[in-house]
Amino acid sequence: MKHKNSIVSIEEAQKIILNSVKPLKHEIIPIMEASNRVLYEDIISKILLPPVDNSAMDGYALIADDTLGASKYNPVKLQIIGEIQAGGSAVGKQVLKGKAIRIMTGAPIPKGADSVIRFEDTEEKAGYVKIFTESARYNNYRIAGENIKKGDTVLHKGERLRSANIGIFASLNYNTVKVYKQPTVSIISTGNELADIGKNIKTGQIRNINAYTIYSEVKKYNGIPDYLGIAKDTLKDTKAIFLKALKSDVIISSGGVSTGKYDFIRDIYSDLNVEIFFERINIKPGRPFTFGKKDNKLIFGLPGNSVPTITSFIQFVRPALLSLMGAKRIKKPIVKAFLEEDIKSVNAHHLLRGFFTIKNDEFYVSTSGNQKPSVLRSMSDANCLIVIPENVIKAKTGEKVTIQLIDHDEI
Ligand code: AMP
Ligand code: MG
């Protein structure tokens, strides 16, 4: 136990968690399944792309100098000596002075030609073409290797793959790709007061929300979630469900982490010999938060209230999942925004649910409603978190504050 009963700052918590992560192994999957997965190896091109000089337009391959002085009223006339289609060959074809070859987009540029004039700037008649405009050298001309050179590292280990990256694999003739495995994640809810969706709800009971928000977040970050159900507030029930959860790479529970009479998560940890790194974070909302490890399994005890469950997931669990998958970029983007209302300080790192807008290229932000930790509605209406660090006494209307863009990709 490293920080038993100690309270850590948000930065310390993040550091401790990231230092505890050992990336998962890898697997080989079809590129069609690889979107959002994290690349396990550098991809070095063995080929040149495009492999040969080719045309960027449908038109005529010619010698640029032949078009000097050409205009609508004074066109240059060139003799057409052939045609090359996309997929065709330029072998044996050569453009000489005063000649042109009809060429399609993607077709190889024939010897002698140094530019292509598009059809729209020409008129063809009886074996000749009139050119109505001057052409610069390398006009509409794709140069071999301008896309990818042999030996280029085109993708790096640790990148989360996006559509354009998948396109690079296709262009380099890769059918499959080596990616980090996805973490398996067990999700546990705790509390006698919880009733799952569809179940009869008695007076004093509330719906189980956290299992579903956590499930959604785990999916979003490419983990493989398994919802194990609700543990009643007894040692026996909580232990039974945790024993099932130990099959996973990551265990996420919510609720039961405070020091209440019926909060059993910490007791379970000591029972199961979980190494606990910290039990509270100086953050609001979301102060009770445990992080521990058993073997290489990461065990997160999230707060019960439905808002800090999500906000703490974003700050602490999300980066851990991404690091398990080897991702190098794990930071949510932050920007400065003009505050549209006064915010009172709290003696903690304060995360407020906010809604930003952009006017005249500037960010503005206001709170998105009631900030009580149990009011999920304002989280549902939020598109960012307003970050007021621990040492800031008061943030006033018109001041610039940091906002975290929670719905945007990591940078
Ligand atoms: P606890 O830390 O267990 O005392 O929970 C704190 C608050 O969060 C209580 O009001 C709980 O009812 C609520 N809560 C705990 N778990 C959930 C859940 N899965 N869904 C919605 N609310 C919850
Ligand atoms: Mg509880």
Side-chain angles (χ1 to χ4, degrees), residues 121-226:
D121 296 324
T122 65
E123 191 181 286
E124 186 182 324
K125 215 173 177 182
Y128 284 84
V129 59
K130 283 185 192 164
I131 311 286
F132 295 117
T133 176
E134 282 189 0
S135 174
R137 292 183 83 189
Y138 299 110
N139 185 35
N140 299 322
Y141 190 116
R142 299 175 182 156
I143 301 167
E146 69 181 8
N147 184 353
I148 292 172
K149 291 186 181 50
K150 212 171 154 172
D152 277 356
T153 303
V154 282
L155 293 167
H156 295 89
K157 182 172 183 166
E159 279 185 51
R160 270 183 103 191
L161 297 170
R162 295 170 292 111
S163 309
N165 306 143
I166 306 293
I168 295 283
F169 284 115
S171 70
L172 297 180
N173 196 30
Y174 280 67
N175 220 339
T176 56
V177 54
K178 208 183 248 188
V179 292
Y180 285 92
K181 284 194 162 187
Q182 299 165 281
T184 52
V185 182
S186 282
I187 298 167
I188 299 168
S189 289
T190 67
N192 287 344
E193 75 280 27
L194 302 181
D196 245 324
I197 302 168
K199 295 272 179 341
N200 280 337
I201 197 157
K202 296 182 212 116
T203 321
Q205 281 199 305
I206 56 163
R207 289 286 170 209
N208 175 14
I209 300 168
N210 299 347
Y212 301 94
T213 51
I214 294 170
Y215 198 102
S216 164
E217 284 290 309
V218 169
K219 278 264 227 227
K220 184 169 163 189
Y221 291 100
N222 247 329
I224 303 172
D226 185 8

Side-chain angles (χ1 to χ4, degrees), residues 181-346:
K181 284 194 162 187
Q182 299 165 281
T184 52
V185 182
S186 282
I187 298 167
I188 299 168
S189 289
T190 67
N192 287 344
E193 75 280 27
L194 302 181
D196 245 324
I197 302 168
K199 295 272 179 341
N200 280 337
I201 197 157
K202 296 182 212 116
T203 321
Q205 281 199 305
I206 56 163
R207 289 286 170 209
N208 175 14
I209 300 168
N210 299 347
Y212 301 94
T213 51
I214 294 170
Y215 198 102
S216 164
E217 284 290 309
V218 169
K219 278 264 227 227
K220 184 169 163 189
Y221 291 100
N222 247 329
I224 303 172
D226 185 8
Y227 168 42
L228 300 186
I230 301 167
K232 293 273 175 224
D233 288 326
T234 62
L235 257 178
K236 191 169 160 248
D237 217 38
T238 316
K239 186 174 175 181
I241 211 161
F242 262 88
L243 282 174
K244 276 194 226 152
L246 283 172
K247 63 174 189 210
S248 304
D249 299 314
V250 179
I251 301 170
I252 307 173
S253 65
S254 65
V257 279
S258 302
T259 45
K261 191 173 164 199
Y262 298 103
D263 291 330
F264 287 117
I265 294 296
R266 302 206 246 173
D267 301 321
I268 296 301
Y269 289 168
S270 68
D271 200 26
L272 295 178
N273 279 324
V274 172
E275 183 186 7
I276 299 171
F277 289 83
F278 57 81
E279 298 181 313
R280 285 177 299 156
I281 304 173
N282 195 22
I283 187 172
K284 186 186 152 81
R287 185 178 292 249
F289 184 111
T290 58
F291 171 64
K293 240 176 127 176
K294 184 177 164 70
D295 306 325
N296 259 326
K297 294 164 195 316
L298 307 179
I299 304 175
F300 296 94
L302 270 52
N305 275 310
S306 55
V307 173
T309 291
I310 302 173
T311 53
S312 292
F313 185 101
I314 295 170
Q315 310 309 320
F316 308 110
V317 187
R318 179 193 59 80
L321 291 183
L322 287 172
S323 305
L324 272 172
M325 281 179 287
K328 292 281 182 283
R329 276 179 275 171
I330 58 169
K331 284 204 175 104
K332 281 290 184 198
I334 51 168
V335 294
K336 290 277 185 191
F338 288 109
L339 199 54
E340 294 184 304
E341 64 192 86
D342 291 351
I343 292 176
K344 273 199 238 121
S345 75
V346 291

Side-chain angles (χ1 to χ4, degrees), residues 349-406:
H349 189 93
H350 199 181
L351 295 176
L352 296 104
R353 286 142 264 174
F355 193 85
F356 75 85
T357 50
I358 300 172
K359 293 170 227 161
N360 299 325
D361 296 342
E362 297 275 15
F363 284 79
Y364 292 81
V365 70
S366 49
T367 53
S368 58
N370 188 325
Q371 296 290 320
K372 284 192 185 135
S374 52
V375 178
L376 183 60
R377 170 76 188 278
S378 54
M379 187 67 204
S380 174
D381 287 341
N383 64 358
C384 68
L385 291 174
I386 305 171
V387 183
I388 309 288
E390 218 175 303
N391 51 359
V392 173
I393 311 289
K394 201 171 178 187
K396 292 208 196 87
T397 308
E399 273 179 32
K400 274 197 161 179
V401 291
T402 299
I403 61 171
Q404 189 184 39
L405 306 182
I406 51 178

